[in-house]
Amino acid sequence: MGSISVNTENTAAPGVPFYTPAQNPPAGTPLNKDSVPTLFQPIKIRSLELHNRVVVAPMCQYSADDGHLTDYHLVHLGQLALHGTGLIIVEATAVEPRGRISPQDSGLWQDSQIAPLKRVVDFVHSQGSKIGIQIAHAGRKASTLAPWIGGTANKTLAEEDVGGWPNDVVGPSAIPFDETNALPKELTKAEIKGLVQKFAETAQRAVKAGVDMIEVHGAHGYLICSFLSPLSNQRTDEYGGSFENRSRFAREVVEAVRAVIPADMPLSLRLSATEWMEWAGQPSWTVEETIKLAKVIPSWGVDILDVSSGANNYQQRFPDNRLFQIDIAREIRKALRADGIDLIVGAVGNITDAQTAYDVVQEGPEAAGELALVARQFLREPEWVLRVAHELKVPVKWANQYSRAGPRTDFSKKF
């Protein structure tokens, strides 16, 4: 009579330089994969496979030390991997010191910044989740204070005495974002070429740190975004004027990044789909121009379009509709599919509840995208993925160490 073999080893997570139990499958994976909503179905993008469609959108934390991530970031991002997210994107990470939004922003312009990023990457991987990074240049919105400081002091600009660089802020044209921001210096063509190279070098460092994907930040009024808009870009050379000229810097950056990262690594581009300035009666960046750009970026090597909006002009006027940004993502996706373009769309903006998350990615013609990017809701509820699964009646794996708790079913009891 044969004996029953029981594996009593607490198997270690592979490929990380420390011991932690392997999460197999990762938290947030459905236990029964039959008839689960699209939100909890896997997706493969080049070589990257996500176990669900929930993505942690980049969120500035103003907590880096001369661009270096710290233990704060390990805890902040690590808890989100522990609670089941499919992909985490590290906050906007500057390609040069003057490209930071604030003196405490994340950076990857020098090799010493690789190791602290890798520490975060290793932990996320140990939980079975994937991690990307958003590389960025703040442009004319650089050298500002962390929002809780600026709000308290009724001030935006970070002066030199607090580590700022108000006299070395740059942009496509010498047009400030508003009266509280620095007056930017117009970039020369040589400086533009240098910045393209810095984006590429930053991407190479991110690859060395072990990230699974890279996103280029072309939204929210930062440098690439400000080149796209005719309101902030009034150049008369080959980087200004026509749609093709205004999008030239974005193309050069994306193509330079694509050229230095692995061929099987996904590349994402975040755009502000409109700057919400149509009301002013002047040429501005619009959804129509975003659709035009979206149709060509696959030829640049982009796999994911991350659809955001606004923040390039302080006079912007948002619509009175909580899900306006998701509606734009849906419009862009429909236009792409109508032309047979399978560019993956990420929808973001006020995804705070289970039903909205479900609707955003549920397979079908009305889907707003293939990925649901969530930001501030994770600051409220790090375990949001698990709660959404519970509300959608999708049993999912919990982290081994937390599995004895599981979702509460009887709320009349204290514990």
Side-chain angles (χ1 to χ4, degrees):
M1 183 174 178
S3 61
I4 298 175
S5 175
V6 178
N7 180 10
T8 58
E9 180 182 356
N10 196 1
T11 306
V16 295
F18 55 89
Y19 172 77
T20 188
Q23 307 288 352
N24 188 21
T29 303
L31 299 178
N32 181 355
K33 296 186 180 180
D34 295 331
S35 302
V36 297
T38 306
L39 187 66
F40 286 97
Q41 292 177 10
I43 184 172
K44 189 169 185 179
I45 312 167
R46 297 204 185 212
S47 65
L48 174 63
E49 186 163 350
L50 308 179
H51 62 276
N52 62 45
R53 310 295 183 93
V54 182
V55 180
V56 178
M59 291 181 281
C60 291
Q61 296 293 292
Y62 310 95
S63 301
D65 183 2
D66 189 28
H68 299 76
L69 300 187
T70 68
D71 284 359
Y72 171 84
H73 299 91
L74 179 66
V75 174
H76 164 61
L77 297 174
Q79 66 178 330
L80 302 176
L82 188 67
H83 286 107
T85 51
L87 173 67
I88 294 168
I89 305 179
V90 177
E91 64 191 78
T93 298
V95 303
E96 66 170 356
R98 67 179 179 177
R100 292 171 292 172
I101 304 166
S102 83
Q104 291 78 39
D105 268 17
S106 169
L108 201 51
W109 64 79
Q110 57 186 344
D111 288 351
S112 62
Q113 293 159 339
I114 296 173
L117 172 60
K118 187 177 188 303
R119 188 165 180 241
V120 176
V121 169
D122 284 344
F123 183 82
V124 172
H125 284 165
S126 78
Q127 302 307 302
S129 290
K130 305 299 183 183
I131 183 167
I133 190 169
Q134 184 186 71
I135 58 176
H137 193 294
R140 65 181 185 153
K141 295 177 78 174
S143 192
T144 59
L145 298 166
W148 59 86
I149 301 171
T152 302
N154 193 26
K155 184 180 179 183
T156 297
L157 195 63
E159 303 286 359
E160 291 180 356
D161 61 348
V162 292
W165 52 101
N167 297 315
D168 196 23
V169 171
V170 297
S173 301
I175 302 172
F177 176 71
D178 64 19
E179 62 182 13
T180 68
N181 284 73
L183 175 65
K185 295 183 291 186
E186 181 174 306
L187 287 162
T188 66
K189 287 191 283 187
E191 288 174 321
I192 291 172
K193 297 297 185 184
L195 283 171
V196 170
Q197 181 60 29
K198 287 179 180 180
F199 269 93
E201 291 169 354
T202 297
Q204 288 176 305
R205 293 188 185 97
V207 171
K208 289 180 180 178
V211 302
D212 301 297
M213 61 84 72
I214 287 176
E215 176 168 278
V216 173
H217 199 348
H220 301 165
Y222 301 125
L223 188 59
I224 292 174
C225 179
S226 64
F227 265 89
L228 293 173
S229 167
L231 292 176
S232 48
N233 179 357
Q234 297 182 7
R235 300 176 72 95
T236 57
D237 60 12
E238 63 265 39
Y239 289 97
S242 68
F243 170 86
E244 288 74 16
N245 284 356
R246 286 182 282 114
S247 60
R248 188 182 306 276
F249 180 53
R251 177 177 59 78
E252 290 179 349
V253 167
V254 168
E255 290 182 341
V257 170
R258 180 78 266 174
V260 300
I261 66 176
D264 60 355
M265 177 178 284
L267 179 59
S268 174
L269 175 63
R270 171 167 273 199
L271 292 176
S272 281
T274 171
E275 53 188 324
W276 298 115
M277 289 296 293
E278 294 87 348
W279 65 269
Q282 302 175 55
S284 63
W285 186 260
T286 63
V287 174
E288 290 71 27
E289 286 200 309
T290 296
I291 291 172
K292 185 177 179 180
L293 191 66
K295 290 180 179 181
V296 301
I297 60 176
S299 68
W300 302 354
V302 173
D303 305 290
I304 304 165
L305 175 61
D306 178 357
V307 180
S308 190
S309 74
N312 190 55
N313 196 295
Y314 74 97
Q315 294 178 304
Q316 63 190 4
R317 293 182 183 177
F318 292 114
D320 186 18
N321 169 13
R322 187 176 73 88
L323 301 180
F324 62 85
Q325 218 156 254
I326 292 171
D327 291 341
I328 293 175
R330 183 177 293 109
E331 180 182 350
I332 293 169
R333 185 176 183 272
K334 285 182 176 180
L336 290 169
R337 298 300 179 265
D339 281 5
I341 300 171
D342 291 328
L343 180 68
I344 289 171
V345 175
V348 62
N350 288 314
I351 302 175
T352 60
D353 61 277
Q355 189 60 51
T356 299
Y358 174 97
D359 292 340
V360 162
V361 299
Q362 185 59 28
E363 188 174 355
E366 292 306 309
E370 285 69 40
L371 300 172
L373 285 90
V374 179
R376 296 179 194 183
Q377 192 61 25
F378 278 120
L379 302 182
R380 302 180 185 104
E381 297 180 272
E383 75 287 357
W384 186 74
V385 173
L386 303 178
R387 182 173 69 78
V388 167
H390 182 56
E391 292 185 6
L392 294 178
K393 296 181 171 54
V394 179
V396 296
K397 170 79 159 37
W398 280 43
N400 297 334
Q401 301 93 322
Y402 287 19
S403 59
R404 287 190 294 176
R408 291 179 63 184
T409 56
D410 185 353
F411 288 92
S412 66
K413 296 180 180 179
K414 292 182 180 180
F415 47 79

